[in-house]
Amino acid sequence: MSAADRKRLEETTRYDPAEVEARVFAEWIEGGYFHPPAEGTPEENFSVAIPPPNVTGALHMGHALNGSMQDALVRLNRMRGRNSLWILGTDHAGIATQAVVEKALKAEGKTRQELGREAFVERVWEWKAEYGSRIVEQYKRLGASCDYERERFTLDADYVRAVYRVFKQLYDKGYIYRDNYMVNWDPGSRSAISDLEVENREVEDALYSIDYPLEDSDQVLTVATVRPETMLGDTAIAVNPGDPRYADLIGKRCVLPLVGRRLQIYPDEMVDPAFGTGALKITPAHDPKDFEMGRVLGLEEISVIGPDGRMTEEAGEFAGLTAAEARTAVVEALRAEGRLRGEEPYVHSVPFSHRSGERIEPLISLQWFCRMDELAAPAIEVVERDEVRIQPGQWKRVYLDWMREIRPWCVSRQLWWGHRIPVWYCDPCEETIVAEQAPERCGKCGGELRQEEDVLDTWFSSAIWPFATLGWPDETPELRAFYPTSFLTTAREILFLWVARMIMTGIEFAGDVPFRDVYVHSVIQARDGRRMSKSLGTGIDPLDEIDVHGADALRFGLLAMSSTQDVRFSDAKVEQGRDLANKLWNASRLILLNAAPVEPAPRPLHVEDRWILSRLEQTILSVTEKLETYDFAHAVQEAYSFFWRDLCDWYLEIVKPRLYDGEEEVSATLLYALERVLALLHPVMPFVSEEIWSFHPAHQGHLVVHPFPVADEALRDAAAEEDVESGIELTQKLRAWRDLAGVPAAAVLAATTDGVEPPEFVARLSRFEFDGVGSEPVASIGPVRVLASEQLDGEAVAARLAKRREELQAEVERGERKLGNEGFVAKAPAEVVEEERGKLERYRSELAELG
RNA sequence: GGGCGCGUAGCUCAGUGGGAGAGCGCUCGCUUCACACGCGAGAGGUCGCUGGUUCGAAACCAGCCGUGCCCACCA
């Protein structure tokens, strides 16, 4: 060690992550450790495709947890010498990004329509150039060992090519089609969205009963609805065929109030006679269920609400009103005509846009869809056969249940930012051309072509992330070396949105599953148990945590608090991580500044050496196994406990004298243990471990590529473990006795031992002297007889012991009295009696131990 | 409506058939030559409730209460 290094170690009594992290990270980048060559096979290599964060995004706690898990496994495998690639990149995030830029425009008093499509998209690219790398920089702060030289973006030219190839092939297979169909219309983003982007919320509405007069009759049929404004588009009525009230009305017609349209009354099993009035109005253009019914019956579809959320010309006098305004107006008009029979409060679940937060308007519109059943079939099989293992196990079933019920996917979005759908129309001859590259002219009539205005759902491009990032559709070396990837960690909320779709496209286009393992991690909630969210103000910024406690602390904390169930964010766990980093630093200082200049090697001389080596190898075995099975919480806590309790609290304290003496054997053993502990912890706490490693005498290259320790079974020693652990136990008893007896901390007490001599360290660590001179034994603790001596203030001890004896005596008497009461013994539950007996036993034995 | 999960120490969470645990917090004692982000010693729990299975249940089963999430086209 250089004099400068030694000085730094001597003077730095506190580990300072802020000083270390940027410097160490730069060394890793400079070393090129994160940029593996595209060589070898996927079986030999290790690869992970990061769930691409939104380009608009900032690192949140979910990213930090997910990143900590991925990085732990990537680093572990890199240290094992595997060619390890962690692909990183960002998602163009259509709606979110467009919204951000539109907001900026609005601040300038402009709209995207004023700008025009081309200029707007240009503007978004400018935004991306300026802010798009923010989240990538934030991953670096976390210490993520991604390949920053292979960063990808879902709108890169090559990526677009892959998206178009996929679209074209799906179209050619007949999976992709265009249809006028009912979609979830999001008035907020003015676009259709998929079923998965809809969330249902409980809302209190009113349930209105409206009288529909029967044609050529003075009878009325009363229907119940929560959306009276849509009645203007009614084209039929349905009743349950088994409902005796309406049996004779089936086939007859009603007259639609306000409009006058004639509505046929149909029988339908779906109608619940017990709900409302048992009669259901059918509005095929504005209700998904009515839509389906309408298609079956061939009903007219009359759209009375337009994409702008306002009433259309079809709504007659109500045209131009918003849907909400129209509701009030229609109700008023019905009331005026005496058609409103009733109105009652009604709580039901209503679809809202996950993106804009606005209430979904089910509308019929011309959209592009992708049929999913054929793609789903093999994706179901691979999971059934565990070729893709989804863990924890309950998610496998959730996945399968959803996949088996999968429905067509609406892939078109009425946005400008995204992959513009590769379809061209020729208006004169009505030809539709789907192509990977823009065709010059119509192949049929030579006419001008017009490209589809819509873009693809963002998730359409994310679905091909694991292979598109590796260069697909080209046969690249990266694809050959790293596909399929090794595993995926994910939040469960994107299991369907993303994971399922990757499995489907992977099989279809890349010829294999995209990953072997899917680990669904827990959700870190806010401190109060609420969801962490920016809009609720409950988010905790991982970067703040890194600033204050260091990246290693946050990584350790997140892994420690994660489990299979959702957990609240725990500051204490992050602080535990911070304390661990500091403890590592200081224990290392002790070893590195005092060890004799020797090769690190296990060189056990005494039982404690055999013990710590045995514990070390056991810990390596167990921690490694837990990391490999995604049991991060137990892995890090076990490593923590070994290091802090076994190594620091006991072993270092036991061997300090030997270390200060410059003993070679203990120096070698300590350097060996330190090397292995640093390597073992590196996947979880990369910065502090790398920093300390730079001071280790065996240090040559960086720890990031140092071999990961493999447990050495030859060093396991059950007998040594037993001996030392009983010595530890005795030490603790002796210390407890001292404390109880009020002996000053520094006093060394005289004692003798009875029978087998305990290990040497017991006397030293409990500040006893077993061959000490004394007179009367005043107490016995296990094999140890404490002797009255000069060091022991006989009076103080006697006083303390007497006081304690009194307390115990009182407890014993109380117990004896209780157990002597026949009523209690006979009538009280047996366990209460037993507990009382146990208590009595304990008090009695403690009394005996005090002597 | 269906499904999944959770309820264990003051707090956050482990433990899933045989002696109730961790971290934090709390109490007491330590400026012991790595670390006060430290060291030593403690206190603290009817393991949601009720019933069942078992020699034995925090753990398995049933019901109930509380709580969270996912899926679902009953107006």
Side-chain angles (χ1 to χ4, degrees):
Chain A
M1 198 186 314
S2 72
D5 275 359
R6 172 164 283 272
K7 187 158 183 287
R8 233 181 94 214
L9 265 190
E10 276 168 355
E11 289 174 354
T12 313
T13 59
R14 199 146 159 171
Y15 174 67
D16 178 12
E19 188 275 319
V20 170
E21 291 177 0
R23 172 164 50 79
V24 166
F25 195 85
E27 288 173 22
W28 289 332
I29 294 295
E30 207 172 305
Y33 303 119
F34 304 161
H35 183 62
E39 292 164 0
T41 67
E43 288 71 33
E44 298 160 354
N45 298 339
F46 192 81
S47 64
V48 181
I50 203 168
N54 285 358
V55 68
T56 55
L59 196 75
H60 62 232
M61 219 39 99
H63 296 128
L65 171 65
N66 199 231
S68 299
M69 291 177 168
Q70 290 170 78
D71 200 36
L73 291 178
V74 170
R75 284 178 183 271
L76 167 65
N77 282 283
R78 184 183 295 115
M79 290 171 79
R80 284 175 165 167
R82 297 174 77 179
N83 223 5
S84 298
L85 172 67
W86 186 7
I87 278 278
L88 157 104
T90 49
D91 191 302
H92 68 280
I95 294 177
T97 310
Q98 177 159 329
V100 167
V101 177
E102 276 194 86
K103 200 174 161 193
L105 280 179
K106 198 178 170 190
E108 299 167 18
K110 293 186 218 157
T111 67
R112 74 175 152 107
Q113 285 78 10
E114 286 166 20
L115 232 61
R117 182 165 192 150
E118 218 171 296
F120 177 77
V121 169
E122 189 51 44
R123 181 70 192 253
V124 184
W125 277 107
E126 284 166 19
W127 184 92
K128 194 254 173 191
E130 192 167 349
Y131 300 104
S133 58
R134 181 179 54 164
I135 194 156
V136 172
E137 295 306 311
Q138 294 175 334
Y139 268 96
K140 293 180 182 171
R141 292 286 316 279
L142 187 66
S145 63
C146 305
D147 187 346
Y148 296 93
E149 292 174 50
R150 285 192 174 98
E151 182 184 333
R152 300 302 306 268
F153 181 54
T154 52
L155 278 174
D156 286 344
D158 284 352
Y159 205 104
V160 173
R161 200 158 57 91
V163 169
Y164 281 11
R165 171 72 58 90
V166 166
F167 186 92
K168 166 86 169 132
Q169 290 189 4
L170 289 173
Y171 179 82
D172 289 345
K173 282 194 131 177
Y175 295 174
I176 283 186
Y177 58 95
R178 197 181 193 206
D179 194 10
N180 227 331
Y181 204 82
M182 174 142 294
V183 295
N184 305 298
W185 185 263
D186 174 8
S189 56
R190 290 281 187 94
S191 174
I193 59 176
S194 74
D195 295 342
L196 288 173
E197 291 162 302
V198 172
E199 64 178 70
N200 291 301
R201 293 188 208 156
E202 294 272 288
V203 164
E204 183 174 325
D205 277 329
L207 182 66
Y208 299 92
S209 302
I210 305 168
D211 287 344
Y212 284 26
L214 282 162
E215 190 181 34
D216 305 324
S217 160
D218 47 10
Q219 260 186 288
V220 297
L221 183 58
T222 308
V223 303
T225 181
V226 290
R227 301 206 58 192
E229 71 279 14
T230 66
M231 68 164 288
L232 303 168
D234 284 2
T235 54
I237 300 285
V239 297
N240 191 292
D243 192 334
R245 292 173 295 180
Y246 304 124
D248 56 338
L249 296 184
I250 290 168
K252 295 199 170 150
R253 303 206 297 175
C254 283
V255 180
L256 181 62
L258 307 180
V259 180
R261 188 179 303 128
R262 299 297 191 265
L263 310 177
Q264 173 104 23
I265 299 169
Y266 290 95
D268 193 304
E269 294 286 351
M270 289 294 284
V271 180
D272 177 2
F275 186 90
T277 59
L280 177 64
K281 70 186 199 61
I282 306 295
T283 319
H286 296 291
D287 181 275
K289 184 178 160 188
D290 293 5
F291 173 79
E292 274 179 29
M293 211 181 278
R295 286 265 159 127
V296 170
L297 297 171
L299 298 177
E300 200 185 343
E301 292 161 2
I302 300 171
S303 296
V304 293
I305 302 171
D308 56 358
R310 290 178 179 275
M311 305 307 284
T312 65
E313 292 305 316
E314 293 280 3
E317 58 176 300
F318 302 99
L321 298 182
T322 66
E325 289 162 354
R327 177 175 302 182
T328 314
V330 166
V331 169
E332 279 316 307
L334 288 169
R335 201 190 309 273
E337 287 194 9
R339 298 298 180 195
L340 193 67
R341 171 63 65 90
E343 175 182 345
E344 53 185 280
Y346 181 61
V347 176
H348 63 146
S349 73
V350 172
F352 283 81
S353 165
H354 197 70
R355 287 276 151 234
S356 69
E358 291 203 25
R359 197 159 166 162
I360 291 296
E361 197 62 66
L363 291 181
I364 294 173
S365 74
L366 190 57
Q367 302 286 348
W368 287 92
F369 293 88
C370 184
R371 233 169 59 206
M372 301 305 290
D373 40 3
E374 289 93 340
L375 292 171
I380 289 169
E381 282 176 32
V382 295
V383 170
E384 280 173 339
R385 290 199 301 256
D386 286 331
E387 286 167 36
V388 172
R389 291 172 296 267
I390 300 181
Q391 293 163 328
Q394 68 258 33
W395 299 107
K396 174 178 174 178
R397 235 191 69 201
V398 172
Y399 168 94
L400 289 173
D401 287 348
W402 184 78
M403 289 290 277
R404 288 172 181 142
E405 300 279 314
I406 200 161
R407 292 161 46 197
W409 174 14
C410 176
V411 296
S412 47
R413 296 290 179 274
Q414 288 64 56
L415 304 173
W416 286 351
W417 177 242
H419 300 91
R420 192 162 172 179
I421 293 180
V423 172
W424 286 263
Y425 305 106
C426 173
D427 292 323
C429 71
E430 298 190 342
E431 180 77 348
T432 295
I433 301 164
V434 176
E436 291 178 44
Q437 287 185 320
E440 293 276 314
R441 314 202 130 265
C442 174
K444 203 161 154 193
C445 70
E448 288 277 326
L449 293 171
R450 167 175 67 79
Q451 188 175 0
E452 169 65 58
E453 295 288 329
D454 292 353
V455 300
L456 288 166
D457 181 2
T458 297
W459 294 103
F460 190 91
S461 53
S462 332
I464 63 173
W465 180 254
F467 50 92
T469 49
L470 295 173
W472 186 93
D474 294 337
E475 271 285 330
T476 61
E478 280 80 6
L479 201 57
R480 277 196 300 274
F482 297 115
Y483 190 89
T485 65
S486 306
F487 79 104
L488 177 85
T489 59
T490 181
R492 59 175 164 266
E493 64 196 30
I494 54 175
L495 189 61
F496 308 141
L497 223 40
W498 190 49
V499 180
R501 288 165 178 168
M502 283 192 287
I503 297 175
M504 290 188 268
T505 64
I507 296 169
E508 175 75 18
F509 297 101
D512 201 347
V513 297
F515 28 70
R516 305 292 181 203
D517 274 338
V518 175
Y519 178 72
V520 180
H521 67 242
S522 55
V523 175
I524 309 283
Q525 301 165 331
R527 292 180 249 260
D528 59 4
R530 284 191 295 169
R531 203 185 150 67
M532 255 194 221
S533 102
K534 212 186 278 174
S535 56
L536 285 174
T538 51
I540 300 169
D541 188 344
L543 297 168
D544 290 345
E545 299 294 317
I546 292 173
D547 286 342
V548 177
H549 301 303
D552 290 328
L554 178 66
R555 293 166 61 117
F556 176 94
L558 286 173
L559 294 182
M561 72 183 89
S562 76
S563 76
T564 53
Q565 68 160 315
D566 294 352
V567 288
R568 298 175 185 206
F569 183 81
S570 163
D571 297 286
K573 286 284 193 295
V574 179
E575 284 160 18
Q576 191 182 353
R578 175 204 60 189
D579 294 351
L580 175 59
N582 188 243
K583 188 82 169 172
L584 267 172
W585 175 257
N586 279 295
S588 302
R589 287 173 62 228
L590 173 68
I591 296 169
L592 296 171
L593 290 170
N594 293 287
V598 288
E599 285 296 306
R603 289 170 66 182
L605 276 187
H606 303 284
V607 65
E608 60 262 30
D609 305 328
R610 297 196 300 276
W611 166 73
I612 198 66
L613 288 166
S614 184
R615 289 285 307 122
L616 172 66
E617 300 307 318
Q618 161 60 25
T619 302
I620 289 169
L621 189 72
S622 176
V623 169
T624 305
E625 192 244 310
K626 289 183 166 72
L627 286 175
E628 285 173 328
T629 53
Y630 312 105
D631 187 3
F632 299 99
H634 291 111
V636 302
Q637 302 198 76
E638 188 165 337
Y640 172 92
S641 161
F642 165 76
F643 171 71
W644 203 299
R645 301 265 88 88
D646 292 343
L647 189 62
C648 293
D649 287 353
W650 293 103
Y651 189 65
L652 286 178
E653 294 304 327
I654 292 170
V655 301
K656 260 182 192 172
R658 295 165 59 197
L659 181 63
Y660 289 142
D661 274 358
E663 183 196 297
E664 291 196 352
E665 285 82 358
V666 81
S667 296
T669 301
L670 278 171
L671 289 171
Y672 170 82
L674 179 60
E675 177 175 351
R676 287 169 87 74
V677 164
L678 291 175
L680 182 68
L681 280 170
H682 184 263
V684 176
M685 310 185 85
F687 290 108
V688 66
S689 54
E690 185 75 78
E691 175 69 0
I692 295 170
W693 178 240
S694 72
F695 294 95
H696 195 287
H699 147 259
Q700 279 181 326
H702 282 96
L703 187 62
V704 67
V705 287
H706 188 275
F708 193 78
V710 177
D712 182 351
E713 286 297 317
L715 291 173
R716 299 290 296 279
D717 189 332
E721 290 202 25
E722 205 174 304
D723 288 352
V724 171
E725 262 134 44
S726 69
I728 286 172
E729 212 173 297
L730 179 57
T731 305
Q732 288 175 319
K733 274 191 179 169
L734 292 169
R735 285 167 170 174
W737 183 88
R738 292 175 60 108
D739 213 53
L740 195 66
V743 177
V748 176
L749 300 185
T752 58
T753 55
D754 180 26
V756 191
E757 193 76 12
E760 171 275 335
F761 67 83
V762 173
R764 181 159 44 85
L765 296 187
S766 57
R767 290 179 188 263
F768 270 85
E769 218 169 310
F770 291 158
D771 54 355
V773 195
S775 49
E776 307 288 294
V778 295
S780 61
I781 298 118
V784 177
R785 305 279 167 266
V786 186
L787 303 178
S789 70
E790 296 277 317
Q791 310 293 342
L792 198 59
D793 180 343
E795 271 180 46
V797 171
R800 297 275 180 155
L801 292 184
K803 195 180 168 207
R804 180 63 182 158
R805 247 185 243 112
E806 272 174 36
E807 286 166 12
L808 288 169
Q809 203 67 52
E811 291 291 347
V812 167
E813 277 166 25
R814 194 193 59 92
E816 281 173 344
R817 223 179 2 249
K818 208 162 185 181
L819 286 163
N821 179 341
E822 279 177 35
F824 173 78
V825 176
K827 288 177 184 165
E831 60 263 31
V832 176
V833 177
E834 271 314 302
E835 197 180 329
E836 211 52 48
R837 287 201 175 113
K839 265 192 212 167
L840 181 59
E841 199 59 39
R842 284 199 296 279
Y843 291 133
R844 276 175 172 157
S845 77
E846 191 183 344
L847 199 53
E849 281 212 338
L850 283 184

